[in-house]
Amino acid sequence: MQRLIVSDHTWQSLLRLKGSAGDVAGQDRDDPAWQVYSAIARPSPASFVVAQVGQSLDGRVATISGDACDVSGPDGILHLHRLRALVDAVIVGVGTVVADDPRLTVREVEGPCPVRVIIDPRGRLPGEASLLNDGGPQALVIRDRSACRETGGHIIHLEARDGRLSPSDILGALAARGLHTVLVEGGADTIGAFLSSGQVDRLHVAVSPIVIGSGPAGLVLPTITRLDEALRAPCRIYDLGSDILFDLECRKSGTG
Ligand SMILES: NC(=O)c1ccc[n+]([C@@H]2O[C@H](COP(=O)([O-])OP(=O)(O)OC[C@H]3O[C@@H](n4cnc5c(N)ncnc54)[C@H](OP(=O)(O)O)[C@@H]3O)[C@@H](O)[C@H]2O)c1
């Protein structure tokens, strides 16, 4: 397993790559940090989606009572902030905003903050949510056309089917606003919807060596009965320091 250390030189190259149309000279392509992050930083004409979960050894992201603060170790948190800095937009479901009141900004590394996107089909987003009131980067709220409650943020209305919004419609609406590289940060329901509709290019699972024993899972997918139906994607494994990163290359189906 390779140790993933992000030197200042590589980080600056990644930020330049994000801001440029072309490639970056003078960068070691075999550097594990370049291998992990350059696909995400590279400007893309089509949507490029990375989903990330920070979880315990037993696959949980919080306690039963909802304490989710310290599941990832410090290097897992750094990894998450690097992903935020390299994408155009970060997506969460409204369940995460209600549970954690996250800011979704970049605070642990140098780099720009992404546009914040909340999937809130029925208008459950609390008006006092930090990301609507902190004066930070733009907050876009994706809502079903039939839900007319205004809670702040810039609202994008899409057509829900059986109460569910299509991830490809969401990505299309973001692409129309120039937001092509996207981090789906959670929670389980939201990542599950993007994964099962074939819209994820990379799945990053950062595992922290703690055992919680009970509590919500980081990822929920439709039930399967046989293990040969399980998601098995080419995977690289990196030692982040406090956490281990599984970097899965998912095959995009482009449907739904
Ligand atoms: N460790 C991590 O990496 C991490 C990251 C983020 C969150 N979390 C944890 O995850 C938990 C929350 O996860 P969760 O699964 O309960 O909630 P969630 O995924 O944050 O939000 C789910 C809700 O968002 C809406 N939604 C998401 N995708 C949708 C779609 N395609 N179409 C329609 N609606 C959609 C629905 O809202 P409606 O119910 O209103 O229809 C859905 O119930 C919290 O415990 C949080 O701490 C962990």
Side-chain angles (χ1 to χ4, degrees):
M1 187 188 337
Q2 288 180 294
R3 179 79 164 93
L4 192 145
I5 294 170
V6 185
S7 69
D8 192 48
H9 173 81
T10 298
W11 185 243
Q12 294 305 324
S13 296
L14 287 162
L15 291 178
R16 278 207 307 284
L17 180 63
K18 174 180 165 61
S20 73
D23 229 328
V24 172
Q27 174 59 46
D28 173 10
R29 311 282 139 164
D30 295 328
D31 178 352
W34 185 260
Q35 291 176 354
V36 170
Y37 296 114
S38 61
I40 297 155
R42 196 179 302 282
S44 162
S47 294
F48 186 93
V49 178
V50 56
Q52 116 93 37
V53 184
Q55 66 176 38
S56 66
L57 271 180
D58 53 334
R60 302 178 196 276
V61 293
T63 64
I64 290 280
S65 61
D67 184 1
C69 261
D70 294 320
V71 171
S72 295
D75 298 307
I77 301 284
L78 269 179
H79 171 67
L80 174 61
H81 281 243
R82 283 188 206 115
L83 293 179
R84 287 182 187 166
L86 295 177
V87 294
D88 299 327
V90 55
I91 296 180
V92 292
V94 64
T96 294
V97 181
V98 170
D100 299 344
D101 193 22
R103 284 180 285 165
L104 306 177
T105 52
V106 176
R107 302 182 298 280
E108 301 291 333
V109 296
E110 179 195 339
C113 290
V115 168
R116 300 172 290 182
V117 180
I118 305 98
I119 308 180
D120 179 32
R122 297 181 287 147
R124 288 204 289 133
L125 182 63
E128 60 277 13
S130 295
L131 44 67
L132 296 178
N133 299 290
D134 63 2
Q138 186 178 36
L140 299 177
V141 182
I142 313 278
R143 196 157 282 167
D144 178 22
R145 263 186 228 296
S146 63
C148 45
R149 183 172 162 253
E150 297 294 321
T151 44
H154 179 87
I155 306 217
I156 298 174
H157 280 114
L158 295 176
E159 204 74 57
R161 276 166 237 124
D162 299 325
R164 301 297 291 176
L165 297 163
S166 144
S168 75
D169 288 354
I170 295 170
L171 294 174
L174 298 183
R177 287 159 180 80
L179 306 170
H180 297 283
T181 53
V182 175
L183 167 63
V184 183
E185 192 171 312
D189 178 60
T190 302
I191 294 182
F194 277 81
L195 256 181
S196 56
S197 62
Q199 296 297 329
V200 174
D201 296 276
R202 288 287 175 89
L203 173 63
H204 282 191
V205 180
V207 180
S208 164
I210 62 168
V211 176
I212 303 179
S214 56
L219 197 51
V220 176
L221 289 171
T223 305
I224 56 168
T225 49
R226 292 172 11 184
L227 274 176
D228 62 8
E229 299 171 87
L231 169 63
R232 292 174 205 265
C235 176
R236 292 199 175 92
I237 307 172
Y238 299 92
D239 177 4
L240 292 176
S242 62
D243 303 57
I244 301 296
L245 174 66
F246 292 79
D247 179 358
L248 280 81
E249 202 167 313
C250 299
R251 198 179 304 119
K252 259 182 138 169
S253 72
T255 56

